[in-house]
Amino acid sequence: MSTAHEIGIVHYPGAQVACIFGLTDLLGVASTIALGQRRSGQNLIRVTHWQPQHSGDASLSCVYDSAPRGSPKPLTLIIPPTMVEPPDRDVPTGVASWVRNRHAAGATLISICSGAFILAETGLVDGKSVATHQICAKTLAKRFPQIVVDVNRRIINHGDIITAGGFLAWVDLGLFLVDRILGPVTRAETARFILSDPSAGEARWLTGFAPPQAHGDRAVMKAQEWVHMRDGRGVSLAALATAAGLGRRTLLRRFTRATGMSPMEYCRAVRIARARELLEGGDISQKKIAESLGYEDVASFARVFRKAVGSAPGAYRKRFLRNTHPLGSRHQ
């Protein structure tokens, strides 16, 4: 039997627990799907969590193992983001030293959003481009001027070091790893399982829309994640309240206070941002974009898009491609 690919997740003080357990579940689902596809009797992905036992520890202990057997030794090591603020300055020292040692032993390192602060502390990305969330980009660049901060790419792959940025980047990153380790068929089945609508694709950082995250309301954050995983389509207040674990009136009040938008306004903003991203891709028809985002027809989509953005979808695409490719483009 082949050995399972071990993915370690660093559970440092302040790390976003939703990301840690969300990734654990996503990778577990993928492994189960792969087992069924290959009729193998062994899990194909092993997930471990690593945590410092005391502040400043230069060694982390394995506190969770999805398939305990032998000594855990992650081939891939993920540094998750914090919930709101960047990692405390006192945290990275011992953790960064341990992460650097794991890299020296052959592990591929991955940071998600503000996890880039700990990765940067290792010195391993000096002179390299690093993806992160826009909300912490300026602070990251100021604290580590030797790295190149890039908020325009969701995933930057340097081979042995990978960085991911954007709201819900852990979903993108999880599916990226599933594709890399288990292949595109398992990735597609995993996406189909964890997302209610496979056509919605992965949750991702969206063009022209910075999801408010600094509010600190965990229930509202769950609701936001639920909206993004569906690209804002087919969302009802009742379903959103259930996802957040709140009553409808309570959700409406807290969501509006936290984000500055009502839930339905937020959904529309997410759909428009996703539409902009698809238009910028250059080769997807307006009809398919409208269908994928739940609009009745192209005319309805164009009307809503024009009202939100100030130009028709076709004009927006041409302007974007002209600015991106000044010598012209074949896409119309």
Side-chain angles (χ1 to χ4, degrees):
M1 290 185 181
S2 60
T3 303
H5 185 109
E6 183 182 335
I7 298 177
I9 305 176
V10 184
H11 193 164
Y12 60 90
Q16 186 180 350
V17 176
C19 171
I20 295 172
F21 290 104
L23 269 172
T24 301
D25 287 345
L26 186 155
L27 295 168
V29 166
S31 189
T32 300
I33 290 171
L35 280 174
Q37 291 171 340
R38 305 179 188 190
R39 292 180 170 80
S40 167
Q42 179 186 12
N43 290 331
L44 301 175
I45 293 180
R46 176 183 183 181
V47 180
T48 52
H49 297 175
W50 299 81
Q51 192 169 18
Q53 297 304 299
H54 304 285
S55 179
D57 275 2
S59 179
L60 278 65
S61 301
C62 181
V63 295
Y64 169 82
D65 193 337
S66 67
R69 58 180 179 281
S71 299
K73 185 179 180 182
L75 296 173
T76 301
L77 194 63
I78 300 174
I79 309 170
T82 49
M83 185 66 183
V84 179
E85 299 295 331
D88 190 292
R89 285 179 179 270
D90 294 333
V91 170
T93 308
V95 174
S97 175
W98 183 82
V99 167
R100 187 167 51 244
N101 289 339
R102 296 311 311 157
H103 179 262
T108 295
L109 302 183
I110 300 175
S111 71
I112 304 175
C113 298
S114 55
F117 282 83
I118 291 178
L119 179 61
E121 191 76 30
T122 67
L124 295 171
V125 286
D126 288 1
K128 290 184 170 65
S129 55
V130 173
T132 192
H133 194 291
Q134 187 168 329
I135 201 170
C136 61
K138 289 183 179 179
T139 304
L140 180 64
K142 184 176 181 180
R143 191 180 298 184
F144 300 98
Q146 65 273 29
I147 68 175
V148 180
V149 178
D150 188 339
V151 297
N152 295 316
R153 287 187 284 172
R154 288 186 298 276
I155 294 178
I156 298 177
N157 186 356
H158 292 295
D160 60 337
I161 295 177
I162 300 168
T163 57
F167 190 71
L168 278 180
W170 64 266
V171 179
D172 272 351
L173 189 279
L175 293 173
F176 171 87
L177 287 176
V178 171
D179 186 281
R180 189 176 190 179
I181 298 167
L182 302 177
V185 174
T186 302
R187 177 205 170 283
E189 287 298 318
T190 303
R192 193 170 289 116
F193 182 91
I194 66 170
L195 303 175
S196 63
D197 181 358
S199 68
E202 304 132 37
R204 57 186 70 214
W205 175 250
L206 295 168
T207 301
F209 180 58
Q213 286 184 279
H215 49 74
D217 189 323
R218 291 180 181 271
V220 172
M221 186 69 74
K222 285 183 181 179
Q224 288 178 266
E225 292 176 351
W226 199 82
V227 170
H228 281 264
M229 289 179 73
R230 290 153 182 77
D231 281 339
R233 61 169 290 182
V235 177
S236 69
L237 187 59
L240 197 57
T242 299
L246 300 172
R248 280 184 280 186
R249 290 184 179 179
T250 302
L251 170 71
L252 185 59
R253 183 181 70 253
R254 284 171 58 173
F255 195 101
T256 303
R257 183 177 63 218
T259 67
M261 291 175 272
S262 72
M264 294 306 103
E265 288 172 337
Y266 192 93
C267 288
R268 283 194 292 271
V270 170
R271 289 171 84 190
I272 291 299
R274 178 68 171 130
R276 289 174 62 175
E277 184 179 61
L278 292 172
L279 287 165
E280 290 170 9
D283 55 2
I284 303 175
S285 72
Q286 290 185 43
K287 182 180 180 181
K288 287 186 177 179
I289 293 173
E291 289 174 351
S292 72
L293 294 176
Y295 291 98
E296 292 181 2
D297 50 41
V298 174
S300 299
F301 164 61
R303 184 168 57 253
V304 174
F305 189 90
R306 182 192 292 273
K307 183 177 180 180
V309 179
S311 66
Y316 178 86
R317 169 176 279 168
K318 288 179 181 178
R319 185 173 70 250
F320 177 83
L321 292 176
R322 184 168 58 248
N323 292 337
T324 307
H325 307 288
L327 295 181
S329 170
R330 291 183 298 172
H331 296 302
Q332 298 297 323

